Amino acid sequence: MTAELCETAASFDAAPARRYRGRNKGKRWTRGADIELAVIRLPLDVHDPGIRHRTEGLFWAMWSVKRALQRDGRDAVDAYWAGDVRRERDAKVWRLQLGLSREGMERCAYRHMESSRHLAHHVTKALVMHQADEVFETSVSRHLFLDSSGRRHGRPRAGRWWDYTRIPGRARSHTISRKWETFRLHGTLAGHLDTYRNRNLDHTVTTPEQAAALPAGTGVLEQPRHLPAPMRPTGRIQTSEVTAKGTTKTRAATWWDHTGPLAVVFTGGAGSRRGDLVLPVRLPSGSGRWPRLVHFLTNPDTWHKIDLVRERRLLAGGL
């Protein structure tokens, strides 16, 4: 007995147990009951071969993660129904032991990412975590628990590549300013109008609100067939803080200082050395769509979450 305890203690000293961040001690953010939630679809331009290759690699990596999670969920569900004695004794404890919970699926996704050598070059842990949440909510949970009509869905099964069309992103933090862990939308609607202004547009129209008030059928934008990816801002930006000598402090410019055309930015995987993945946004050119664009895109504080969806669009040629 003593020898076994010593060996166990030595093994723990050699490989300490992994520590997790733990629960949030602050108040959890919830959307108000009177706040409506709406969705806007923005086409992305992926004509550039480098951008297209990275985007395809991102979808392939996330699909492999989802397929592995679906197979793990199916095996765990089969073990759950096979364990009659444990399920009758305490079904909740039996589910937790098998990892049939939101946190259990997230830990399973982390293990897949850490044991793989190529996933870190494409995806982040935030993307993997939300993919695990989606698998649990859409397949595992609907099979384990009855719905309002008293029915349950079938056991989880691995999907097809052609059916995988959406990568769920993570919502921005509503307590910490400028914190997006997955896809981020940078730029301004006014900067997009200044960059791709229609040559026949009246010179008095300088703001998106004025463009929204134009008669239907008026051309507002003149975007090229292949949109170039915006460059990340460079240089130094002055802040409101002052040093002890009385000089104004400066900081390095980031994507948050970008005021040009709109673009979706993804930092890439933790092991990636190719920099940010920048996907240019293509907006409708006619004035009839601009009231909707002004409603959704003028105030960045209302932006909540961005999902990356792949869909073949013959006119835009993007996602």
Side-chain angles (χ1 to χ4, degrees):
M1 181 69 68
T2 306
E4 293 179 357
L5 292 177
C6 291
E7 292 177 358
T8 305
S11 63
F12 277 115
D13 293 339
R18 179 178 176 181
R19 300 180 60 184
Y20 299 105
R21 181 173 57 183
R23 295 183 178 274
N24 185 16
K25 298 181 180 179
K27 184 179 179 181
R28 184 177 180 181
W29 179 87
T30 55
R31 187 174 70 251
D34 56 339
I35 299 178
E36 298 181 355
L37 183 64
V39 179
I40 183 173
R41 300 171 58 133
L42 299 177
L44 304 178
D45 193 309
V46 291
H47 280 99
D48 184 83
I51 294 178
R52 178 179 292 273
H53 178 72
R54 288 194 61 182
T55 306
E56 291 176 352
L58 176 61
F59 270 94
W60 270 103
M62 289 302 299
W63 176 66
S64 63
V65 171
K66 182 176 182 179
R67 182 178 56 179
L69 291 173
Q70 289 173 336
R71 291 177 175 175
D72 293 340
R74 180 186 56 191
D75 296 340
V77 164
D78 293 342
Y80 173 76
W81 292 118
D84 298 336
V85 177
R86 295 188 179 184
R87 190 174 67 253
E88 293 177 359
R89 184 184 305 166
D90 195 333
K92 182 177 180 181
V93 174
W94 182 223
R95 288 196 301 268
L96 294 178
Q97 291 179 357
L98 294 174
L100 294 175
S101 63
R102 180 188 293 268
E103 184 178 357
M105 295 295 294
E106 292 175 359
R107 300 305 175 194
C108 181
Y110 293 157
R111 289 192 295 269
H112 282 298
M113 181 177 178
E114 292 170 356
S115 61
S116 174
R117 294 186 177 182
H118 74 282
L119 288 180
H121 296 282
H122 302 281
V123 303
T124 61
K125 280 195 172 182
L127 280 180
V128 169
M129 181 188 69
H130 281 273
Q131 187 64 77
D133 294 343
E134 185 190 34
V135 172
F136 176 77
E137 292 294 338
T138 58
S139 59
V140 177
S141 178
R142 293 183 180 182
H143 174 72
L144 294 176
F145 307 105
L146 302 176
D147 57 12
S148 58
S149 62
R151 299 179 180 178
R152 70 173 79 248
H153 288 251
R155 59 195 289 265
R157 60 182 181 85
R160 302 183 306 169
W161 158 251
W162 300 109
D163 297 331
Y164 186 70
T165 58
R166 184 178 68 91
I167 300 178
R170 184 169 186 174
R172 72 177 181 92
S173 174
H174 293 268
T175 57
I176 302 177
S177 176
R178 296 183 174 183
K179 184 178 180 181
W180 291 73
E181 297 187 5
T182 53
F183 307 110
R184 311 186 305 270
L185 181 62
H186 291 290
T188 61
L189 192 60
H192 205 98
L193 177 61
D194 293 339
T195 304
Y196 302 114
R197 182 187 182 89
N198 194 301
R199 70 185 72 179
N200 298 324
L201 188 63
D202 192 352
H203 67 278
T204 58
V205 179
T206 58
T207 63
E209 290 77 12
Q210 293 176 344
L214 295 174
T218 305
V220 178
L221 299 179
E222 192 172 350
Q223 302 169 103
R225 181 175 178 82
H226 294 175
L227 290 176
M231 300 297 296
R232 178 174 177 171
T234 57
R236 306 290 298 183
I237 303 297
Q238 293 185 353
T239 63
S240 58
E241 300 179 358
V242 182
T243 62
K245 297 182 180 180
T247 59
T248 304
K249 292 184 178 181
T250 60
R251 60 173 177 81
T254 63
W255 276 110
W256 301 105
D257 304 307
H258 175 63
T259 58
L262 294 169
V264 173
V265 180
F266 177 62
T267 56
S272 177
R273 300 181 180 179
R274 293 178 290 182
D276 299 332
L277 174 61
V278 184
L279 304 175
V281 176
R282 183 181 298 274
L283 296 180
S285 302
S287 59
R289 300 286 296 276
W290 272 78
R292 177 178 172 83
L293 297 178
V294 171
H295 174 75
F296 280 98
L297 301 179
T298 51
N299 186 11
D301 295 334
T302 60
W303 302 345
H304 177 67
K305 178 184 176 183
I306 298 177
D307 294 344
L308 192 63
V309 180
R310 65 186 182 106
E311 176 184 349
R312 182 167 181 80
R313 299 177 61 88
L314 298 178
L315 297 180
L319 295 176

